[in-house]
Amino acid sequence: MVRNMTQHRQQSERRLYEEVSRLWNRHVTVAAITEGDERSDTLTRLILKSIALNGPVRSSDAARDTGLSRAAISRRITALEANGFVSADTDPADRRASLLTLTDEGQRHLDELSLSGAATIREVTNDFSDEDLERFAELLGRFNTNAAERLTATVRSQHA
């Protein structure tokens, strides 16, 4: 019986891996299609959301919060400023540094991206019952929390 449970768990883990891979592959495909479009690509959403949640922030803090390199953040911030989504003002605590703030236009754009994402989720889960949707969100949240903890531990051990 234990062996059968172990085989069943291994099959379930394999199936989960395959499903997460399918989701990730779809995400990578969409990211590749929108790459370089400073208005809607994945990095834009990631950076705008980080600044909205933590701002005003230095670009180095945004890099840390998003996991992106300082060079990648710097290039993208230039484009976000040009689009009017972000402003960079002198840090009063250190006049050599700048603080990034989401502009009203940046907040509107982030809201539009969020609404678009919510509409997509609504379409994809249209045939889920309310209970299925709630349970799926709960389990996915737990999965993401465990993944974040595991990845953080992995990064720390590699940099120790």
Side-chain angles (χ1 to χ4, degrees):
M1 183 72 169
V2 171
R3 182 169 179 244
N4 191 25
M5 290 289 284
T6 302
Q7 287 176 332
H8 179 70
R9 178 154 184 108
Q10 288 172 345
Q11 289 171 343
S12 295
E13 288 171 349
R14 232 183 340 269
R15 181 167 179 224
L16 177 61
Y17 175 80
E18 290 168 4
E19 294 301 329
V20 169
S21 293
R22 283 180 58 202
L23 181 62
W24 179 252
N25 290 341
R26 192 169 302 106
H27 169 75
V28 169
T29 299
V30 170
I33 291 169
T34 62
E35 184 178 5
D37 178 357
E38 294 88 10
R39 295 194 59 85
S40 63
D41 74 359
T42 302
L43 292 181
T44 293
R45 283 179 271 165
L46 185 64
I47 295 167
L48 291 178
K49 193 165 194 165
S50 174
I51 295 171
L53 292 172
N54 304 309
V57 296
R58 292 182 178 188
S59 61
S60 59
D61 294 331
R64 184 196 66 236
D65 293 342
T66 59
L68 298 169
S69 71
R70 286 185 181 190
I73 285 284
S74 179
R75 284 189 302 272
R76 190 49 59 107
I77 293 301
T78 301
L80 294 174
E81 283 184 277
N83 281 312
F85 297 156
V86 172
S87 66
D89 300 306
T90 302
D91 183 347
D94 180 356
R95 308 225 22 102
R96 298 169 296 166
S98 294
L99 293 176
L100 303 172
T101 306
L102 200 61
T103 64
D104 289 343
E105 179 62 23
Q107 185 61 60
R108 275 191 293 280
H109 187 63
L110 185 57
D111 291 345
E112 288 172 12
L113 293 172
S114 294
L115 286 173
S116 174
T120 300
I121 291 295
R122 197 172 307 109
E123 290 173 18
V124 170
T125 61
N126 191 40
D127 66 339
F128 284 36
S129 70
D130 291 352
E131 294 80 18
D132 284 348
L133 185 58
E134 183 177 340
R135 183 72 176 141
F136 180 65
E138 176 186 326
L139 290 171
L140 187 57
R142 192 166 122 204
F143 178 87
N144 281 328
T145 297
N146 290 348
E149 290 170 1
R150 174 71 176 119
L151 292 173
T152 298
T154 300
V155 169
R156 282 188 185 138
S157 70
Q158 290 177 353
H159 292 284

